[in-house]
Amino acid sequence: MSVPQKPSEFPSVPMPPARAHKARKPRLLKPTLYVHDYINLANVQKCLEDRRSDFVTIDSTTFSGELEIENRPYERFFVLERGHFTLFSHYHAPVKFSYKSRNAVMAHLWRDDVFTDMTSTKFVEVDGLWQLEQLPVLCFAFGQDADTLQSSYVIDDNTIHEYYESTATMDMADLAAVAQGKGDLCISHFFVVNCGREYWAVDTKDPSISYTFGPSTKTRTISRLADGSITVQALVDEELSQTSTDAHTSQSPKFTLRDINGEKVVEGDRFVLHIPGRGDDDDGCVKQTMFDEKDWVSVSYFTHLIPRREAMLSGSMDRGHTFGMAVVDDITYLTFEGQFVQIENQGRRPGIVIIPETPSKRNRIHLTYSDDGLIALSRWGAKEPIILEWIKSACGFFSVDDERCIDDSAKLRLIKV
């Protein structure tokens, strides 16, 4: 194998003379992949971009990419061949790529133009084929989620995908065996498993070691693992070291829930949750009249939004409901009338509901108490903020947001009653 060379100019073959056309180049809506009839698609590594691409089988004895592009001005398409795939464009000479970077090339073509990145340091030429310097990350996705997955993050580009059809088949040891069988097609020391909004980075050699994260930290987590700056075990240790000694976070067994005055809250105490920011004094302090012109956390029933008709937490201008707390296995939970406040993962954007059962790990709410007396809410372990959005200034909805940073988390004042 030849030594990878950094491109100084792309493409390396002479470019055809520019052609004058009056029509404007249309936006590429759906990539077309021509597949030679001797190619078995079952043996071609799956890519996320395949789900929004058209596959067309061609006769290998008669098809000519050069003639096809002449008949289709302003278009671009791929041809899947044995050992490589080729990009044909009306504006550039044909370019051969390694299958390792197929998803990345197709994603760039979808958003802009792959040639923009070819002249950067991201691509190298190995044995006459262009590929990204970094190998792709292997991702396992839940089959039911597949059609909703999109390359909305740059970190999704340099990936290859496999799909599992049931959470019952999501055995990390079995997935690790698949990862080991990929050889040099992808990064070998870890892989990623996705189910809805939850992600796991798994050590390929020891699948018992995994790190849970969410969409809001997806790019940073996978980037650090992919460039080798950290291992899965180091991520686990890093999180443990941050939470084990921090009495301000409910992920620590030393956590103590406190009210706005810093006083300890114990089981049996009753309290209301004030939403700061609207109706406060200029200095941000709570007014003396407790339920006057301020926003509070209430419990509502939105039966048209939640099929199972659970009670849902909401923001309200009316008098807030009273809540309690419970500690189960050293984990602190908010409660309402003896039931647990937790995340509802159904729907496009999860909300906060009241359910009798003790929350599972993926449904827990992470509480963080700050020195200013405010309590921030986020998803347990994944560092996804729970935010509060107001509808017509009258009703607020709590939801788990996968795009905002943790600093956008809803913050509440706990006031004993």
Side-chain angles (χ1 to χ4, degrees), residues 233-246 251:
Q233 183 63 63
L235 278 175
V236 174
D237 295 341
E238 184 180 87
E239 182 172 77
L240 287 175
S241 65
Q242 291 174 350
T243 60
S244 60
T245 60
D246 187 357
Q251 288 187 239

Side-chain angles (χ1 to χ4, degrees), residues 299-361:
V299 177
S300 306
Y301 292 84
F302 300 98
T303 56
H304 63 292
L305 295 178
I306 305 179
R308 291 190 293 168
R309 299 189 177 184
E310 297 100 336
M312 173 184 280
L313 249 63
S314 64
S316 173
M317 298 174 63
D318 299 327
R319 179 186 177 106
H321 287 91
T322 56
F323 295 85
M325 60 87 73
V327 179
V328 180
D329 296 329
D330 292 327
I331 298 174
T332 299
Y333 299 96
L334 298 178
T335 62
F336 175 73
E337 295 183 352
Q339 301 186 62
F340 293 91
V341 179
Q342 57 188 287
I343 294 173
E344 169 57 68
N345 286 289
Q346 295 181 357
R348 293 186 61 186
R349 177 169 291 183
I352 309 301
V353 298
I354 313 297
I355 296 179
E357 297 81 18
T358 304
S360 63
K361 183 176 181 179

Side-chain angles (χ1 to χ4, degrees), residues 144-349:
Q144 292 184 4
D145 297 334
D147 289 330
T148 64
L149 294 173
Q150 294 182 359
S151 292
S152 54
Y153 297 89
V154 174
I155 197 64
D156 291 317
D157 293 348
N158 195 19
T159 58
I160 58 176
H161 268 71
E162 294 291 343
Y163 301 97
Y164 60 93
E165 298 306 320
S166 168
T167 53
T169 63
M170 196 178 68
D171 183 275
M172 295 303 183
D174 292 341
L175 300 186
V178 174
Q180 293 167 6
K182 295 296 181 182
D184 64 352
L185 278 178
C186 60
I187 292 175
S188 61
H189 63 277
F190 82 101
F191 59 90
V192 174
V193 180
N194 169 231
C195 183
R197 293 171 177 266
E198 194 163 13
Y199 293 81
W200 296 268
V202 185
D203 188 298
T204 306
K205 293 184 178 180
D206 186 355
S208 65
I209 303 173
S210 64
Y211 175 78
T212 306
F213 58 98
S216 60
T217 56
K218 177 180 178 181
T219 297
R220 182 173 184 270
T221 300
I222 297 180
S223 296
R224 295 175 70 192
L225 289 166
D227 65 20
S229 61
I230 199 167
T231 63
V232 178
Q233 183 63 63
L235 278 175
V236 174
D237 295 341
E238 184 180 87
E239 182 172 77
L240 287 175
S241 65
Q242 291 174 350
T243 60
S244 60
T245 60
D246 187 357
H248 287 70
T249 168
S250 61
Q251 288 187 239
S252 168
K254 298 182 179 181
F255 175 73
T256 300
L257 186 62
R258 298 183 182 277
D259 68 5
I260 190 174
N261 299 313
E263 296 181 0
K264 185 177 181 179
V265 179
V266 298
E267 293 186 70
D269 287 343
R270 308 294 294 167
F271 51 84
V272 292
L273 297 170
H274 169 248
I275 305 169
R278 305 192 319 167
D280 291 348
D281 288 333
D282 292 339
D283 60 0
C285 295
V286 181
K287 294 178 181 178
Q288 294 300 315
T289 306
M290 181 174 291
F291 297 104
D292 182 33
E293 297 182 1
K294 292 188 297 295
D295 301 316
W296 303 88
V297 176
S298 299
V299 177
S300 306
Y301 292 84
F302 300 98
T303 56
H304 63 292
L305 295 178
I306 305 179
R308 291 190 293 168
R309 299 189 177 184
E310 297 100 336
M312 173 184 280
L313 249 63
S314 64
S316 173
M317 298 174 63
D318 299 327
R319 179 186 177 106
H321 287 91
T322 56
F323 295 85
M325 60 87 73
V327 179
V328 180
D329 296 329
D330 292 327
I331 298 174
T332 299
Y333 299 96
L334 298 178
T335 62
F336 175 73
E337 295 183 352
Q339 301 186 62
F340 293 91
V341 179
Q342 57 188 287
I343 294 173
E344 169 57 68
N345 286 289
Q346 295 181 357
R348 293 186 61 186
R349 177 169 291 183

Side-chain angles (χ1 to χ4, degrees), residues 128-139:
L129 303 180
W130 292 85
Q131 66 182 60
L132 285 172
E133 288 185 278
Q134 190 178 83
L135 288 173
V137 174
L138 172 60
C139 297

Side-chain angles (χ1 to χ4, degrees), residues 12 30 32 51 76 118 135 150 184 224 274 286 328 363 366 416:
S12 56
K30 206 170 186 182
T32 299
R51 306 196 72 84
R76 294 166 285 182
M118 294 302 293
L135 288 173
Q150 294 182 359
D184 64 352
R224 295 175 70 192
H274 169 248
V286 181
V328 180
N363 292 341
H366 178 207
K416 290 184 181 181

